[in-house]
Amino acid sequence: MNISFLGLGVMGYPMAGYLAKAGHNVTVYNRTAGKAEAWANEYGGATAATPAAAAQNADVLISMVGNDDDVRQVLIASGALAALPEGALLIDHTTASATLAQQLATLCDQHGHAFVDAPVSGGQKGAVEGILTIMAGGTPQAFARAEPVFQAYAKTITHVGPAGHGQLCKMLNQICIAGVLAGVAEAVHLGQKSGLDMQKAYQAIKGGSAQSWQFDNRVPTMLDDKYDFGFAVEWLRKDLGIAISQAKSVGAALPATALVDQFLAEVEAMGGKRWDGSSLLKRYRR
Amino acid sequence: MNISFLGLGVMGYPMAGYLAKAGHNVTVYNRTAGKAEAWANEYGGATAATPAAAAQNADVLISMVGNDDDVRQVLIASGALAALPEGALLIDHTTASATLAQQLATLCDQHGHAFVDAPVSGGQKGAVEGILTIMAGGTPQAFARAEPVFQAYAKTITHVGPAGHGQLCKMLNQICIAGVLAGVAEAVHLGQKSGLDMQKAYQAIKGGSAQSWQFDNRVPTMLDDKYDFGFAVEWLRKDLGIAISQAKSVGAALPATALVDQFLAEVEAMGGKRWDGSSLLKRYRR
């Protein structure tokens, strides 16, 4: 299959690599061309000078970029969507708004393409190991075409509903993480302020009803005062911003999520844009 | 061993039962005498008319009551501690303040007793099945005496530090739960408001980095709109109140915990004192 991949960041680079390894005919495009060349040297695929050139002969066009604006730029403003052969499949792996996903679905429909919004979780580690979690939105037909593509780099693939619902599901995922991080950060903060042996407290709490993935995996790194474990504060804030906008559009309120987002703004002000989300603890320690 | 157990609530009743089953000579006291008689009929132990009478011949005196005031009442004001034979071991399983635990430790020390604060987690189910988690504070000598007692009804037993540190550890546990519940409630709220298929979203999120015990176990019951799964809002609020007081005493702030506590006050106002903590969702749905 001819697959064109737009965006070779820390996620896209290894994901596109897994597609090449799976035997697909992969063409890559990246804003910084040097990275596309490095990728082609490593995996033996082709590079395209523009998103439209990449889209030209693609059966499947995949985007994995930063945010809503980046998606609009690389797919629409660039002419990529217009260059895509009729009947192609567009997959957007970017974590973006549900509104954008619905707009892309409508645009694709008008041009005879299929569309799936497919934000991922599992971070850089999941991408490098090819074990990402994918939350997909789209018609059953579009999903059926996308699923074999996903299998190259994902372990858990769920079709959660129509276009936009992959994005909604990812928002829920990030909201859960925000809440968990608040609880864990406040717990560690109080324990350390109170002189509790946090290694022992970690062992005592780990297996019970207060358990979470973040507790199990991030408390040990927080106790080492290390915050370079993947998903960065600035990306988490981008995702929480999307969730808060979505909440506004449906008349829901997310006060705890908004509180964590504002605390993370303070972490950014401390120089923590690239620290992982557990650096929320540093806001408490100020 | 002669063990006297004060407080036969939903936790204490089965815990005292496991002590009897383990072959100890158990005497029970309960404020409502009928429950003590029912317990003695079921397990074949003895009843005492007052806490002091229960303490009189005890090698180990255990309290499992509601809050700090109840502990002071049943152990100190009642004369139980004064009646305890020298060299006995006092275990308080009540979730109470670290300050109270330190006061009890001092009192015990003055009378030649050993003391362990040992709040539990695992809820009514954990007590009934004899698989509680215990977070214990006290001297190594006191803990060594308490551990074989705990083994009758606990699966995970951790000695986290000196007197009061069992309570501190339990506070951290409850703070983590508060954060997790906020994230889970806001996620479910946004998903439902947005028309997302929550069963599919649950499956998609379950195994990843947003995972938590509460997510795995309470989201399905929240989606059924059922809130009668154990640990009640009024008890969670009591525990969060203890944590917030502790934070004040050491100059720490717990803004997310305090926010959840206030939301749970609103749940109580809706008639939810006895609902489980995941009923936090109902506050968002108002």
Short mmCIF file of all heavy atoms in Angstrom, two decimals, chain B residues 128-164:
data_model
loop_
_atom_site.label_atom_id
_atom_site.label_comp_id
_atom_site.label_asym_id
_atom_site.label_seq_id
_atom_site.Cartn_x
_atom_site.Cartn_y
_atom_site.Cartn_z
N VAL B 128 -14.59 -8.06 55.39
CA VAL B 128 -15.39 -9.29 55.36
C VAL B 128 -14.57 -10.45 54.83
O VAL B 128 -14.66 -11.58 55.32
CB VAL B 128 -16.68 -9.08 54.51
CG1 VAL B 128 -17.38 -10.40 54.21
CG2 VAL B 128 -17.63 -8.12 55.22
N GLU B 129 -13.71 -10.16 53.85
CA GLU B 129 -12.89 -11.22 53.25
C GLU B 129 -11.56 -11.41 53.97
O GLU B 129 -10.79 -12.32 53.64
CB GLU B 129 -12.65 -10.91 51.76
CG GLU B 129 -13.94 -10.93 50.95
CD GLU B 129 -13.73 -10.58 49.48
OE1 GLU B 129 -12.57 -10.44 49.05
OE2 GLU B 129 -14.75 -10.42 48.77
N GLY B 130 -11.28 -10.55 54.95
CA GLY B 130 -10.04 -10.68 55.71
C GLY B 130 -8.79 -10.38 54.90
O GLY B 130 -7.74 -10.97 55.13
N ILE B 131 -8.92 -9.44 53.95
CA ILE B 131 -7.78 -9.11 53.08
C ILE B 131 -7.47 -7.61 53.11
O ILE B 131 -7.11 -7.01 52.10
CB ILE B 131 -8.06 -9.55 51.62
CG1 ILE B 131 -9.39 -8.96 51.13
CG2 ILE B 131 -8.08 -11.07 51.50
CD1 ILE B 131 -9.59 -9.06 49.62
N LEU B 132 -7.59 -7.01 54.29
CA LEU B 132 -7.34 -5.57 54.41
C LEU B 132 -5.89 -5.20 54.15
O LEU B 132 -4.99 -6.05 54.22
CB LEU B 132 -7.73 -5.11 55.83
CG LEU B 132 -9.23 -5.11 56.12
CD1 LEU B 132 -9.48 -4.96 57.62
CD2 LEU B 132 -9.94 -4.00 55.35
N THR B 133 -5.69 -3.93 53.84
CA THR B 133 -4.35 -3.35 53.77
C THR B 133 -4.17 -2.53 55.04
O THR B 133 -5.05 -1.76 55.41
CB THR B 133 -4.22 -2.43 52.54
OG1 THR B 133 -4.28 -3.24 51.37
CG2 THR B 133 -2.92 -1.65 52.55
N ILE B 134 -3.05 -2.73 55.72
CA ILE B 134 -2.79 -2.00 56.96
C ILE B 134 -1.54 -1.16 56.84
O ILE B 134 -0.51 -1.64 56.39
CB ILE B 134 -2.68 -2.98 58.16
CG1 ILE B 134 -4.03 -3.67 58.37
CG2 ILE B 134 -2.22 -2.25 59.43
CD1 ILE B 134 -4.07 -4.60 59.57
N MET B 135 -1.66 0.11 57.23
CA MET B 135 -0.53 1.04 57.23
C MET B 135 -0.24 1.36 58.69
O MET B 135 -1.03 2.05 59.33
CB MET B 135 -0.94 2.32 56.48
CG MET B 135 -1.43 2.02 55.07
SD MET B 135 -2.51 3.30 54.41
CE MET B 135 -2.97 2.54 52.83
N ALA B 136 0.88 0.85 59.18
CA ALA B 136 1.10 0.87 60.61
C ALA B 136 2.21 1.82 61.03
O ALA B 136 3.25 1.93 60.37
CB ALA B 136 1.42 -0.53 61.10
N GLY B 137 1.98 2.53 62.16
CA GLY B 137 2.98 3.39 62.75
C GLY B 137 3.26 2.97 64.18
O GLY B 137 2.34 2.61 64.91
N GLY B 138 4.52 3.01 64.58
CA GLY B 138 4.87 2.65 65.95
C GLY B 138 6.33 2.24 66.02
O GLY B 138 7.02 2.23 64.99
N THR B 139 6.80 1.90 67.21
CA THR B 139 8.19 1.43 67.33
C THR B 139 8.30 0.06 66.66
O THR B 139 7.30 -0.65 66.52
CB THR B 139 8.59 1.28 68.81
OG1 THR B 139 7.74 0.26 69.39
CG2 THR B 139 8.41 2.58 69.59
N PRO B 140 9.50 -0.32 66.25
CA PRO B 140 9.67 -1.66 65.66
C PRO B 140 9.19 -2.76 66.62
O PRO B 140 8.60 -3.76 66.18
CB PRO B 140 11.18 -1.75 65.42
CG PRO B 140 11.63 -0.33 65.29
CD PRO B 140 10.75 0.47 66.21
N GLN B 141 9.41 -2.55 67.93
CA GLN B 141 9.00 -3.56 68.92
C GLN B 141 7.48 -3.67 68.97
O GLN B 141 6.93 -4.78 69.00
CB GLN B 141 9.53 -3.20 70.32
CG GLN B 141 11.06 -3.20 70.47
CD GLN B 141 11.73 -1.96 69.86
OE1 GLN B 141 11.07 -0.98 69.51
NE2 GLN B 141 13.05 -2.01 69.69
N ALA B 142 6.81 -2.53 68.98
CA ALA B 142 5.34 -2.55 69.02
C ALA B 142 4.79 -3.18 67.75
O ALA B 142 3.86 -3.99 67.79
CB ALA B 142 4.81 -1.11 69.19
N PHE B 143 5.39 -2.81 66.60
CA PHE B 143 4.91 -3.37 65.34
C PHE B 143 5.09 -4.89 65.30
O PHE B 143 4.20 -5.61 64.84
CB PHE B 143 5.62 -2.73 64.14
CG PHE B 143 5.21 -3.34 62.83
CD1 PHE B 143 3.97 -3.04 62.26
CD2 PHE B 143 6.04 -4.26 62.19
CE1 PHE B 143 3.57 -3.64 61.07
CE2 PHE B 143 5.64 -4.86 60.98
CZ PHE B 143 4.40 -4.55 60.43
N ALA B 144 6.22 -5.36 65.81
CA ALA B 144 6.49 -6.80 65.81
C ALA B 144 5.44 -7.56 66.61
O ALA B 144 5.09 -8.69 66.27
CB ALA B 144 7.90 -7.08 66.37
N ARG B 145 4.91 -6.93 67.66
CA ARG B 145 3.86 -7.58 68.45
C ARG B 145 2.51 -7.51 67.73
O ARG B 145 1.67 -8.40 67.86
CB ARG B 145 3.74 -6.91 69.83
CG ARG B 145 4.93 -7.21 70.73
CD ARG B 145 4.85 -6.41 72.02
NE ARG B 145 3.69 -6.75 72.84
CZ ARG B 145 3.34 -6.08 73.94
NH1 ARG B 145 4.08 -5.04 74.34
NH2 ARG B 145 2.29 -6.45 74.64
N ALA B 146 2.29 -6.42 66.98
CA ALA B 146 0.99 -6.22 66.33
C ALA B 146 0.84 -7.06 65.07
O ALA B 146 -0.27 -7.51 64.73
CB ALA B 146 0.81 -4.74 65.99
N GLU B 147 1.94 -7.29 64.37
CA GLU B 147 1.87 -7.94 63.06
C GLU B 147 1.13 -9.28 63.07
O GLU B 147 0.26 -9.50 62.22
CB GLU B 147 3.28 -8.09 62.48
CG GLU B 147 3.25 -8.37 60.98
CD GLU B 147 4.64 -8.41 60.36
OE1 GLU B 147 5.64 -8.54 61.11
OE2 GLU B 147 4.72 -8.31 59.12
N PRO B 148 1.44 -10.18 64.02
CA PRO B 148 0.71 -11.46 64.01
C PRO B 148 -0.79 -11.29 64.27
O PRO B 148 -1.59 -12.10 63.79
CB PRO B 148 1.36 -12.27 65.15
CG PRO B 148 2.50 -11.48 65.65
CD PRO B 148 2.48 -10.12 65.05
N VAL B 149 -1.16 -10.25 64.98
CA VAL B 149 -2.59 -9.96 65.18
C VAL B 149 -3.20 -9.55 63.84
O VAL B 149 -4.24 -10.07 63.43
CB VAL B 149 -2.78 -8.83 66.23
CG1 VAL B 149 -4.26 -8.49 66.38
CG2 VAL B 149 -2.16 -9.24 67.56
N PHE B 150 -2.53 -8.62 63.16
CA PHE B 150 -3.02 -8.12 61.86
C PHE B 150 -3.24 -9.25 60.86
O PHE B 150 -4.14 -9.19 60.03
CB PHE B 150 -2.02 -7.13 61.24
CG PHE B 150 -1.82 -5.86 62.02
CD1 PHE B 150 -0.65 -5.13 61.87
CD2 PHE B 150 -2.80 -5.38 62.88
CE1 PHE B 150 -0.45 -3.94 62.56
CE2 PHE B 150 -2.61 -4.19 63.60
CZ PHE B 150 -1.42 -3.48 63.43
N GLN B 151 -2.36 -10.26 60.93
CA GLN B 151 -2.42 -11.33 59.93
C GLN B 151 -3.76 -12.06 59.90
O GLN B 151 -4.10 -12.70 58.91
CB GLN B 151 -1.25 -12.30 60.11
CG GLN B 151 0.02 -11.75 59.46
CD GLN B 151 1.30 -12.37 59.99
OE1 GLN B 151 1.28 -13.08 60.99
NE2 GLN B 151 2.41 -12.05 59.34
N ALA B 152 -4.54 -11.92 60.98
CA ALA B 152 -5.85 -12.57 61.00
C ALA B 152 -6.80 -11.97 59.97
O ALA B 152 -7.69 -12.66 59.47
CB ALA B 152 -6.46 -12.47 62.40
N TYR B 153 -6.64 -10.68 59.64
CA TYR B 153 -7.61 -10.04 58.74
C TYR B 153 -6.98 -9.16 57.65
O TYR B 153 -7.69 -8.45 56.95
CB TYR B 153 -8.65 -9.23 59.51
CG TYR B 153 -8.10 -8.43 60.68
CD1 TYR B 153 -7.34 -7.30 60.48
CD2 TYR B 153 -8.37 -8.82 62.00
CE1 TYR B 153 -6.84 -6.56 61.54
CE2 TYR B 153 -7.88 -8.09 63.08
CZ TYR B 153 -7.12 -6.96 62.85
OH TYR B 153 -6.62 -6.24 63.90
N ALA B 154 -5.65 -9.20 57.53
CA ALA B 154 -5.02 -8.34 56.53
C ALA B 154 -4.16 -9.13 55.56
O ALA B 154 -3.62 -10.19 55.90
CB ALA B 154 -4.15 -7.29 57.22
N LYS B 155 -4.06 -8.62 54.34
CA LYS B 155 -3.23 -9.27 53.32
C LYS B 155 -1.93 -8.50 53.15
O LYS B 155 -0.87 -9.08 53.01
CB LYS B 155 -3.99 -9.30 51.99
CG LYS B 155 -3.39 -10.25 50.96
CD LYS B 155 -4.26 -10.37 49.71
CE LYS B 155 -4.28 -9.06 48.93
NZ LYS B 155 -5.03 -9.19 47.65
N THR B 156 -2.03 -7.16 53.17
CA THR B 156 -0.84 -6.32 52.98
C THR B 156 -0.63 -5.50 54.25
O THR B 156 -1.50 -4.73 54.65
CB THR B 156 -1.04 -5.37 51.78
OG1 THR B 156 -1.45 -6.14 50.66
CG2 THR B 156 0.24 -4.63 51.46
N ILE B 157 0.50 -5.70 54.88
CA ILE B 157 0.80 -5.02 56.14
C ILE B 157 2.13 -4.30 55.97
O ILE B 157 3.14 -4.92 55.69
CB ILE B 157 0.91 -6.05 57.30
CG1 ILE B 157 -0.37 -6.88 57.41
CG2 ILE B 157 1.26 -5.35 58.61
CD1 ILE B 157 -0.22 -8.15 58.25
N THR B 158 2.13 -2.98 56.13
CA THR B 158 3.37 -2.22 55.97
C THR B 158 3.63 -1.38 57.21
O THR B 158 2.77 -0.62 57.66
CB THR B 158 3.31 -1.29 54.74
OG1 THR B 158 2.83 -2.03 53.61
CG2 THR B 158 4.67 -0.71 54.42
N HIS B 159 4.83 -1.54 57.76
CA HIS B 159 5.25 -0.68 58.87
C HIS B 159 5.92 0.53 58.25
O HIS B 159 7.04 0.45 57.76
CB HIS B 159 6.23 -1.45 59.77
CG HIS B 159 6.69 -0.63 60.95
ND1 HIS B 159 7.94 -0.75 61.50
CD2 HIS B 159 6.04 0.32 61.69
CE1 HIS B 159 8.06 0.09 62.51
NE2 HIS B 159 6.92 0.75 62.65
N VAL B 160 5.20 1.67 58.27
CA VAL B 160 5.70 2.83 57.52
C VAL B 160 6.57 3.77 58.34
O VAL B 160 7.29 4.60 57.77
CB VAL B 160 4.55 3.63 56.86
CG1 VAL B 160 3.93 2.82 55.73
CG2 VAL B 160 3.50 4.05 57.86
N GLY B 161 6.53 3.67 59.66
CA GLY B 161 7.35 4.57 60.46
C GLY B 161 6.87 4.63 61.90
O GLY B 161 6.12 3.75 62.35
N PRO B 162 7.29 5.66 62.65
CA PRO B 162 6.92 5.80 64.06
C PRO B 162 5.43 6.12 64.23
O PRO B 162 4.71 6.31 63.25
CB PRO B 162 7.80 6.96 64.54
CG PRO B 162 8.12 7.74 63.31
CD PRO B 162 8.19 6.74 62.19
N ALA B 163 4.98 6.18 65.47
CA ALA B 163 3.57 6.44 65.78
C ALA B 163 3.08 7.68 65.04
O ALA B 163 3.75 8.72 65.01
CB ALA B 163 3.40 6.62 67.28
N GLY B 164 1.91 7.55 64.42
CA GLY B 164 1.34 8.65 63.65
C GLY B 164 1.55 8.49 62.16
O GLY B 164 0.78 9.02 61.35
#
